[in-house]
């Protein structure tokens, strides 16, 4: 019997642990419950069970690790008002029995968890505990002379779940408890009894109620976590990338605004905020421009989003071509500005070809030298302008 119980416990624990993936609401603070119960208890043998039964009370605190496996601490108090329970010679005996239970929801274990408890469930309880009684019998060799013992309890809970969110449980619990290790005999010689002996056991039948606290999902029970489909995952990734692009665009604009404000303060000693305005040339660009730092043809990270926008449109419209015109602000000599403007246009093309795999034949570029005519703020003339044209 012990082997069967051990095998069943190991299978239940391993199954419940493997099933934990996929359930929401299993933090350490989740899925706790408290319960109270009361009923009747009687020695299993050598007594009239119904006639010589005694009242017992108990409370229980537990936690479900998964919908299949849980643990509970149970404290049982038995008040003897008749002879023949733990002590055949003494009345009004009280025993105190704390027990650690492993609980298995057999309904969920074999029927699966559907996202909410069923109305009716069966739960098994296996536990090891300790019993202390106030027995003072000296000569009786029956169960009554055991005053301290290790106990093994086996019980079944027939559960009815109710409440708006199934937060309440009423249960009927038949139970048998064995004294598997403890001194027996009234001579106090310390002789031991070990094993599952009905002569050293008692039966009880209890009726109780449990309350399950809310967990981190704002529910009183586990929730099912269903994996995303490939389509949902792709849609989510696309949304994330779009939000990242918008963030990069905002950061880029903020960087441009900060540069503009700083240059204005340095040049004109103006401290009031300046609203950025764009004045386009006679040929209006129809894509965002790519701005550069002074003396550089390297595209700043904040400007890469504008290149990505151009690449996306070219991929979606294979009938279109792109014309890139590079410019430099008026600082420096003419030859240097001509070379710099050429490099700025070419830098945009290289990113489109090498990173986004746009055919080189679809991209035209040229350096237009220095200018201060594109924008009234001369720093903005360090730019590559992008124009969509039809093939």
């Amino acid at each position: 019997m012990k082997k069967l119980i051990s095998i069943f416990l190991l299978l239940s624990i391993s199954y419940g642990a493997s099933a934990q993936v996929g359930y929401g609401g299993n933090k350490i603070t989740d899925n706790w419950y408290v319960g109270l119960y009361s009923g009747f208890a009687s020695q299993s043998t050598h007594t009239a069970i119904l006639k010589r039964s005694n009242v017992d009370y108990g409370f229980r605190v537990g936690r479900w690790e998964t919908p299949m496996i849980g643990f509970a601490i149970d404290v049982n108090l038995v008040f003897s008002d008749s002879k023949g329970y733990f002590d055949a010679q003494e009345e009004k005996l009280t025993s105190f029995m704390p027990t650690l239970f492993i609980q298995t929801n057999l309904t969920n274990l074999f029927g699966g968890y559907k996202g909410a408890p069923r109305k009716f469930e069966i739960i098994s309880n296996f536990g090891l505990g300790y019993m202390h009684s106030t027995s003072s019998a000296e000569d009786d060799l029956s169960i009554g002379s055991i005053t301290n013992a290790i106990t093994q309890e086996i019980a079944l809970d027939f559960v009815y779940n109710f409440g708006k969110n199934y937060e309440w449980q009423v249960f009927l619990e038949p139970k048998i408890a064995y004294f598997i290790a403890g001194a027996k005999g009234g001579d106090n010689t310390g002789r031991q009894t070990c094993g599952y002996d009905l002569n050293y056991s008692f039966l009880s039948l209890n009726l109780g109620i449990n309350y399950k606290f809310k967990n981190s999902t704002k529910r009183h029970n586990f929730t099912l976590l269903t994996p995303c489909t490939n389509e949902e995952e792709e849609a989510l990734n696309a949304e994330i990338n779009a939000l990242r692009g918008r963030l990069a665009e905002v950061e880029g604009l903020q960087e441009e605004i900060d540069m503009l404000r700083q240059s204005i303060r340095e040049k004109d000693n103006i401290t009031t905020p300046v609203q950025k305005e764009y004045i386009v040339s006679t040929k209006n660009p129809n894509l965002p421009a790519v701005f550069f730092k002074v003396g550089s043809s390297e595209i700043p990270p904040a400007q890469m989003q504008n290149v990505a926008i151009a690449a996306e449109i070219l991929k979606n419209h294979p009938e279109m071509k792109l014309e890139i015109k590079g410019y430099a602000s008026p600082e420096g000599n003419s030859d240097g500005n001509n070379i710099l403007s050429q490099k700025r246009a070419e830098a945009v093309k290289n990113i489109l070809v090498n990173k986004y795999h746009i055919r080189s034949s679809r991209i035209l570029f040229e350096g237009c030298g220095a200018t201060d005519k594109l924008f009234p703020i001369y720093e903005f003339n360090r730019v590559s302008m992008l124009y969509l044209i039809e093939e």
Side-chain angles (χ1 to χ4, degrees):
M1 182 177 181
K2 291 186 291 183
K3 290 182 178 180
L4 290 175
I5 292 174
S6 300
I7 292 172
F8 180 79
L9 287 176
L10 290 174
L11 289 174
S12 300
I13 292 172
S14 62
Y15 183 91
S18 64
Q20 184 167 354
V21 178
Y23 298 117
N26 51 10
K27 296 180 179 178
I28 189 64
T29 55
D30 291 345
N31 302 305
W32 288 89
Y33 73 91
V34 294
L36 296 172
Y37 62 86
S38 180
F40 301 93
S42 174
Q43 183 176 335
S44 300
T45 59
H46 307 298
T47 185
I49 293 177
L50 296 179
K51 184 178 179 181
R52 307 294 290 273
S53 62
N54 299 273
V55 178
D56 71 337
Y57 303 93
F59 66 91
R60 188 174 294 171
V61 178
R63 178 178 184 270
W64 287 97
E65 298 293 328
T66 74
M68 294 79 177
I69 293 294
F71 299 89
I73 297 176
D74 184 278
V75 177
N76 185 222
L77 302 174
V78 179
F79 297 90
S80 175
D81 54 6
S82 63
K83 294 181 180 180
Y85 183 51
F86 289 106
D87 190 338
Q89 302 181 17
E90 186 174 297
E91 295 181 351
K92 296 184 178 179
L93 175 73
T94 301
S95 67
F96 170 77
M97 289 180 290
T99 303
L100 176 63
F101 277 124
I102 296 177
Q103 298 186 292
T104 304
N105 190 311
L106 300 177
T107 305
N108 290 336
L109 182 66
F110 295 106
Y113 185 66
K114 306 300 182 181
R118 297 171 174 86
K119 282 281 187 181
F120 297 95
E121 296 178 325
I122 299 177
I123 297 173
S124 66
N125 300 283
F126 295 90
L128 283 175
Y130 170 78
M131 185 280 293
H132 171 74
S133 79
T134 59
S135 172
S136 60
E138 295 180 355
D139 300 318
D140 183 47
L141 297 180
S142 71
I143 189 172
S145 60
I146 297 179
T147 57
N148 295 282
I150 296 174
T151 61
Q152 166 76 71
E153 297 189 27
I154 305 171
L156 276 180
D157 290 351
F158 297 91
V159 175
Y160 173 73
N161 294 290
F162 67 100
K164 182 179 180 181
N165 300 297
Y166 289 140
E167 67 270 27
W168 292 97
Q169 290 180 324
V170 172
F171 64 91
L172 181 67
E173 181 182 83
K175 178 175 67 177
I176 184 170
Y178 291 93
F179 297 94
I180 58 174
K184 70 175 180 178
D187 55 3
N188 294 318
T189 59
R191 286 179 293 165
Q192 301 292 310
T193 177
C194 296
Y196 295 89
D197 187 344
L198 279 177
N199 294 316
Y200 292 89
S201 68
F202 72 91
L203 300 171
S204 66
L205 181 65
N206 295 305
L207 182 66
I209 187 168
N210 293 330
Y211 175 76
K212 294 178 282 186
F213 297 102
K214 280 187 177 181
N215 56 37
S216 57
T217 63
K218 308 301 181 183
R219 300 185 182 182
H220 297 268
N221 298 282
F222 288 93
T223 56
L224 287 178
L225 299 179
T226 56
C228 293
T229 63
N230 291 335
E231 292 77 11
E232 291 172 334
E233 186 176 354
E234 290 175 0
L236 182 60
N237 288 332
E239 185 175 354
I240 292 173
N241 291 333
L243 291 174
R244 286 175 176 170
R246 292 179 60 186
L247 178 61
E249 183 178 357
V250 171
E251 291 175 347
L253 292 175
Q254 183 61 51
E255 181 179 342
E256 294 172 17
I257 292 172
D258 292 341
M259 292 173 58
L260 175 61
R261 287 174 176 170
Q262 181 64 29
S263 63
I264 292 176
R265 292 191 189 101
E266 294 174 355
K267 184 176 180 180
D268 302 322
N269 197 25
I270 298 176
T271 58
T272 57
V274 175
Q275 182 177 0
K276 182 168 57 178
E277 298 181 359
Y278 293 92
I279 299 179
V280 298
S281 64
T282 56
K283 185 176 182 180
N284 293 331
N286 42 25
L287 286 176
V290 179
F291 296 91
F292 296 82
K293 295 181 179 180
V294 61
S296 174
S297 61
E298 182 179 352
I299 301 175
Q303 296 295 313
M304 292 298 294
Q305 179 63 22
N306 293 345
V307 182
I309 292 172
E312 185 69 16
I313 292 176
L314 288 171
K315 287 181 179 180
N316 294 335
H317 297 276
E319 76 279 7
M320 305 294 290
K321 285 187 175 182
L322 182 69
E323 182 178 8
I324 307 171
K325 292 182 178 294
Y327 296 90
S329 55
E331 301 96 341
N333 60 65
S334 177
D335 291 339
N337 284 333
N338 288 335
I339 295 173
L340 183 58
S341 66
Q342 177 82 8
K343 288 183 177 180
R344 285 173 174 169
E346 189 174 13
V348 177
K349 177 186 176 180
N350 290 338
I351 293 295
L352 290 171
V353 172
N354 298 329
K355 182 176 181 180
Y356 296 101
H357 309 294
I358 306 298
R359 283 189 292 108
S360 177
S361 60
R362 297 180 60 195
I363 302 173
L364 307 175
F365 72 97
E366 66 174 327
C368 300
T371 183
D372 58 358
K373 305 299 183 183
L374 291 174
F375 302 98
I377 305 304
Y378 70 90
E379 288 89 352
F380 284 6
N381 292 290
R382 306 163 187 157
V383 65
S384 285
M385 307 295 290
L386 280 60
Y387 306 86
L388 281 174
I389 57 177
E390 294 185 359
E391 290 192 22

